[in-house]
Amino acid sequence: MNKLNYPNWLVPLDIAQELKEIGFDEPCTFAINYTQLIEPFLVQHCNKGYNVVFCGEMKNLTYKTLDKNLLDKIAIIPTWEQVLEWFRDKGFMITLINYEDESKFSFYNMKIRGGVHYAEAFKTYEQAREVLLLKLIDLYKTANQ
């Protein structure tokens, strides 16, 4: 992906796909079209040739609003805040703190593994945010299998 053009307030495309797999279906304004079958308002190109699109006329896009034939071809792309809110709504208590020399996260969910607490520290906020989300996805997958 061309990270120079990809907005840092949207989750990366690989994480958007993982969110799709665990049932994330909140209204989003952005999506990725893996096959170029729809003609949305183009925002930018990724180096894999996929289009990241702004769904201007399809505001609040969700998987429920898509034609069933497009479900495997499109992934909605949420903002980081949308995803963290979705996990909070699922019962996760999340803390993400940015200090001058490091960033830390912690989270727990009393309904999963007896509320086991997870915490880690990283050099950058962006690293902490991404690892936090990947761990939340992994734990959510494990708990819902």
Side-chain angles (χ1 to χ4, degrees), residues 74-86:
I74 293 179
I76 56 177
I77 307 173
T79 64
W80 291 96
E81 186 54 39
Q82 284 176 298
V83 176
L84 293 176
E85 182 179 347
W86 185 77

Side-chain angles (χ1 to χ4, degrees), residues 8 80 98 103 122-131:
N8 65 2
W80 291 96
N98 189 31
S103 292
F122 296 88
K123 291 188 181 213
T124 69
Y125 174 80
E126 291 77 15
Q127 287 176 321
R129 178 179 66 181
E130 187 164 338
V131 173

Side-chain angles (χ1 to χ4, degrees), residues 1-13:
M1 173 175 28
N2 182 350
K3 292 189 183 240
L4 293 175
N5 293 325
Y6 193 81
N8 65 2
W9 40 270
L10 291 176
V11 300
L13 301 178

Side-chain angles (χ1 to χ4, degrees), residues 94-132:
I94 302 167
T95 303
L96 180 56
I97 302 171
N98 189 31
Y99 295 106
E100 187 174 319
D101 58 343
E102 70 178 358
S103 292
K104 296 181 179 183
F105 75 76
S106 64
F107 70 88
Y108 67 92
N109 185 328
M110 292 306 292
K111 299 174 189 170
I112 298 175
R113 295 187 188 168
V116 173
H117 185 84
Y118 296 85
E120 289 190 46
F122 296 88
K123 291 188 181 213
T124 69
Y125 174 80
E126 291 77 15
Q127 287 176 321
R129 178 179 66 181
E130 187 164 338
V131 173
L132 164 62

Side-chain angles (χ1 to χ4, degrees), residues 43-72:
V43 174
Q44 45 210 315
H45 296 280
C46 299
N47 65 4
K48 291 184 178 179
Y50 303 130
N51 285 338
V52 178
V53 299
F54 173 63
C55 302
E57 293 182 1
M58 298 183 286
K59 286 191 177 172
N60 299 325
L61 179 68
T62 69
Y63 294 114
K64 293 175 197 151
T65 64
L66 290 172
D67 180 307
K68 296 226 182 282
N69 294 326
L70 294 176
L71 288 177
D72 291 335

